[in-house]
């Protein structure tokens, strides 16, 4: 089992920044890929950003140029740096880890962007 704990969410004014953290219970080298997803009320959960074991990254068009995903192997943690936040970024942000034959999800952290 892989446990994921997200943190760093909160309330921020439009144009501000937040950095989300996702701490994994296993060494990052065992995880094939990790990603950040978000879900707003009444909306489908969507991929925001992902990073593979090799370091390749992928971003949703809506966040390109504003968000950056990164990882720290020593701390078994992935990050999502969110800049120039917009009200439409408001959602619960979830961390996902892809391991052999299994996907694991964190409980999510709320991000609210006010105008």
């Amino acid at each position: 089992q892989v446990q994921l704990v997200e943190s760093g969410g909160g309330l921020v004014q439009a144009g501000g920044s937040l950095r989300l953290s996702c701490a994994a219970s296993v060494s990052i080298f065992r995880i094939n890929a990790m990603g950040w997803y978000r879900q707003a009320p009444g909306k489908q959960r969507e991929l925001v950003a992902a990073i593979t074991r090799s370091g390749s990254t992928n971003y949703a068009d809506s966040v390109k140029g504003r968000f950056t995903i990164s990882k720290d192997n020593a701390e078994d943690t992935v990050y999502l740096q969110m800049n120039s936040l917009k009200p439409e970024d408001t959602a619960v942000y979830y961390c996902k880890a892809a391991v052999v034959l299994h996907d694991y999800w964190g409980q999510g952290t709320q991000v609210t962007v006010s105008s």
Side-chain angles (χ1 to χ4, degrees):
Q1 294 288 322
V2 177
Q3 292 181 322
L4 304 172
V5 180
E6 303 98 332
S7 62
L11 176 64
V12 65
Q13 193 172 29
S17 298
L18 285 173
R19 189 175 79 155
L20 305 184
S21 299
C22 174
S25 63
V26 300
S27 297
I28 291 294
F29 81 90
R30 296 186 62 192
I31 299 174
N32 295 325
M34 299 189 73
W36 286 98
Y37 290 71
R38 66 186 181 188
Q39 187 169 25
K43 301 290 185 179
Q44 197 85 310
R45 188 172 298 185
E46 63 176 351
L47 174 68
V48 177
I51 186 166
T52 68
R53 187 172 58 188
S54 65
S56 298
T57 58
N58 184 37
Y59 298 93
D61 288 341
S62 60
V63 306
K64 286 181 179 177
R66 300 188 298 120
F67 291 10
T68 303
I69 188 170
S70 61
K71 60 180 180 177
D72 185 333
N73 291 329
E75 297 293 330
D76 296 327
T77 302
V78 296
Y79 304 95
L80 184 68
Q81 178 67 46
M82 304 185 294
N83 299 326
S84 302
L85 283 162
K86 305 174 180 179
E88 50 262 46
D89 294 319
T90 296
V92 177
Y93 284 71
Y94 298 90
C95 181
K96 185 182 83 171
V99 190
V100 176
L101 300 180
H102 298 283
D103 289 338
Y104 298 91
W105 291 89
Q107 294 188 81
T109 184
Q110 176 70 49
V111 171
T112 302
V113 185
S114 65
S115 58

